[in-house]
Amino acid sequence: MSILPDGGLQLAALEEQLLQPGTKGLPIAEPLRQHMIGVQRWNVLAADTSFPVALLKTSSLLHNLDWMHAFCARFNAVLAPHGKTTMSPQLFGAQLANGAWGITLATATQVLAAARFGVRRVLLANELVAPADIRALLYLMQDDPGFELYTLADSADGVRRLSDAVVASGLDRPLPLLVELGINGKRAGCRSPDDALTLARLIANAPGLQLAGIEGYEGLLVSDDRAADIERVNAFLAHIAQLARQADAEGLFGGPRILLSAGGSSYFDLVARGFRDVDGLSRPVLSVLRSGCYLTSDHGHYLQMTAELDEREHLAVGLKPALEVWSIVLSRPEPTLAILSMGKRDASYDLGLPHALVTHRPGDAGPVALPDGARIEKMNDQHAYLRLPEGTDVRVGDLVGCGISHPCTTFDKWPVLLLVDDDYNVQRAINTIF
């Protein structure tokens, strides 16, 4: 019986592949079929794995899947989680099995990877521009009539490229586009609602294309001034909703529904509230959230952001951190310094350094929380500097469990992560396809 549901994806080839010696985190000296990992009886606390090793706690994953399913149901929204966070077919399968409407992705190659494992609906959260990428995804749509692709547009040049390519391809169905409303000084997107409405008109009249909805990314409005952030996010979402009303009044939308989409991993509750009451249009509105980091959360940036979400929504139980990186103490060169076998090639550092949580001496009863003041103060490529209070009993060969801040830039460092139970027994492997 599978530990995580597979959502009907084609994962057998992953389980049958031979993992080779040298695979990060695995203590193997000869090739091992991936499905055999669960019968090796490895336990991380017994130092049965190689170190460093990236772990996913099964109980937290299952909790977060159920939490988000209930959250979406509460606001009559659907979830298309941003798959770039994990790029893991097994985790895509778990999300789809838990009710995800589709998977959001960032690049054409990510779309092709997801489709290879059976993902049937993708929102590409960028404008599709490169000729080879356009050809590849149009071919995918031609080859598989059941595959649904939505992509973004924020320029007349981009719309014309796509229209010309769809017509030249002979595709017998339109390519659905969402107009992206952007933010001055930030990333992509039309810089004003007027520009966005002009682009919506162009799409509606372009051969081979269909205006499917309006989209934006409020996650660019996160700063240290939370009250101001919330005002800016709510105003931005109101602009998206109003743009949808204007486009609908002009009869620009095609297809059976109008998609409104936003929702990074920081303010997706505001998105759910902002789109919930958009009604009275010519066809049903589908509110699509795109949070990707909800699945694993973290011990840093997103833990803080979702704690604030819990407070806004009066939720007693929130998302739980599921992703940890464990390393071993390589050196104790100074009384208050331990050098760990984990560095920038193993854990994220762009939104804060890893959080040193616990230490464990193999053979002892269980992990022990590190004292206040213990912290990772810097990292090299493959070493971390753990600063400790004077007298802390941490020795060479002890294990250190760290939480991370920002899952996206940890997953991409690991071709294989290990699923573990709450006692750190290794249950199976999870792959990433970056």
Side-chain angles (χ1 to χ4, degrees):
M1 179 178 176
S2 178
I3 298 165
L4 295 176
D6 64 16
L9 297 192
Q10 299 154 16
L11 306 177
L14 293 174
E15 292 303 306
E16 289 300 321
Q17 70 180 326
L18 278 172
L19 298 173
Q20 299 295 329
T23 302
K24 280 179 68 173
L26 300 188
I28 55 176
E30 57 186 24
L32 179 71
R33 296 270 176 207
Q34 182 164 304
H35 70 84
M36 294 298 293
I37 282 179
V39 300
Q40 301 302 307
R41 299 187 181 276
W42 292 335
N43 182 278
V44 177
L45 302 183
D48 289 336
T49 66
S50 180
F51 293 95
V53 63
L55 308 177
L56 291 168
K57 300 187 82 169
T58 301
S59 61
S60 295
L61 288 178
L62 294 173
H63 167 84
N64 294 344
L65 287 165
D66 289 342
W67 188 99
M68 184 59 87
H69 185 271
F71 180 90
C72 288
R74 177 182 175 188
F75 288 96
N76 194 29
V78 298
L79 178 68
H82 214 319
K84 72 175 176 61
T85 298
T86 69
M87 280 309 295
S88 170
Q90 293 98 333
L91 297 181
F92 292 172
Q95 290 170 310
L96 292 167
N98 204 249
W101 175 79
I103 300 292
T104 299
L105 294 163
T107 69
T109 54
Q110 290 177 2
V111 175
L112 294 168
R116 175 159 56 97
F117 290 98
V119 173
R120 307 292 289 158
R121 182 185 288 128
V122 168
L123 172 58
L124 176 59
N126 274 309
E127 191 165 52
L128 185 58
V129 174
D133 291 340
I134 296 172
R135 288 193 299 270
L137 296 193
L138 292 181
Y139 175 80
L140 178 60
M141 293 179 68
Q142 286 177 313
D143 187 58
D144 183 356
F147 178 77
E148 296 181 42
L149 175 68
Y150 298 80
T151 187
L152 309 187
D154 74 351
S155 69
D157 285 343
V159 169
R160 293 188 188 102
R161 277 174 171 258
L162 289 173
S163 177
D164 291 346
V166 173
V167 171
S169 75
L171 185 67
D172 61 359
R173 52 183 166 134
L175 175 64
L177 301 186
L178 284 76
V179 169
E180 180 167 19
L181 183 65
I183 300 165
N184 286 333
K186 300 295 183 179
R187 212 159 60 190
C190 298
R191 285 321 198 230
S192 74
D194 286 344
D195 289 345
L197 187 58
T198 298
L199 191 67
R201 295 177 183 130
L202 180 63
I203 294 168
N205 291 292
L209 304 182
Q210 180 185 84
L211 182 64
I214 312 293
E215 176 274 346
Y217 177 51
E218 81 298 336
L220 299 170
L221 294 171
V222 176
S223 73
D224 292 332
D225 187 343
R226 294 288 194 267
D229 289 348
I230 290 172
E231 289 185 9
R232 289 194 294 262
V233 168
N234 284 332
F236 179 62
L237 298 171
H239 285 313
I240 292 176
Q242 180 58 24
L243 181 56
R245 293 187 180 97
Q246 290 175 296
D248 187 58
E250 295 188 23
L252 302 181
F253 290 111
R257 296 168 297 194
I258 298 170
L259 273 62
L260 297 183
S261 182
S265 296
S266 297
Y267 288 128
F268 59 83
D269 62 316
L270 301 182
V271 176
R273 287 189 176 279
F275 292 164
R276 180 174 57 180
D277 298 325
V278 179
D279 54 16
L281 303 187
S282 65
R283 61 203 71 195
V285 171
L286 186 67
S287 174
V288 183
L289 307 184
R290 301 201 307 267
S291 173
C293 295
Y294 85 93
L295 182 57
T296 64
S297 189
D298 65 20
H299 287 85
H301 177 78
Y302 287 113
L303 185 66
Q304 178 182 351
M305 297 302 297
T306 56
E308 294 172 12
L309 181 155
D310 296 340
E311 187 174 343
R312 288 193 297 270
E313 295 297 323
H314 308 290
L315 300 174
V317 179
L319 297 168
K320 296 181 179 181
L323 176 59
E324 298 175 1
V325 178
W326 281 66
S327 59
I328 197 164
V329 177
L330 298 176
S331 178
R332 284 287 267 123
E334 300 169 15
T336 63
L337 180 64
I339 303 298
L340 309 182
S341 66
M342 172 191 76
K344 293 180 178 179
R345 292 179 174 176
D346 310 303
S348 54
Y349 54 92
D350 55 316
L351 288 180
L353 292 171
H355 294 246
L357 303 174
V358 297
T359 184
H360 177 72
R361 188 161 297 150
D364 284 0
V368 176
L370 282 160
D372 292 342
R375 71 189 190 283
I376 304 291
E377 62 180 14
K378 67 176 179 178
M379 291 198 298
N380 302 141
D381 286 354
Q382 300 194 266
H383 298 88
Y385 295 65
L386 175 61
R387 187 61 65 181
L388 297 164
E390 190 85 38
T392 304
D393 183 20
V394 170
R395 307 175 193 171
V396 170
D398 286 355
L399 308 180
V400 176
C402 288
I404 53 88
S405 184
H406 198 195
C408 296
T409 49
T410 295
F411 270 97
D412 67 348
K413 304 177 191 311
W414 294 90
V416 173
L417 299 90
L418 298 180
L419 267 183
V420 297
D421 66 16
D422 288 347
D423 294 319
Y424 290 91
N425 296 304
V426 175
Q427 298 171 306
R428 64 176 289 193
I430 295 292
N431 303 97
T432 66
I433 312 292
F434 283 99

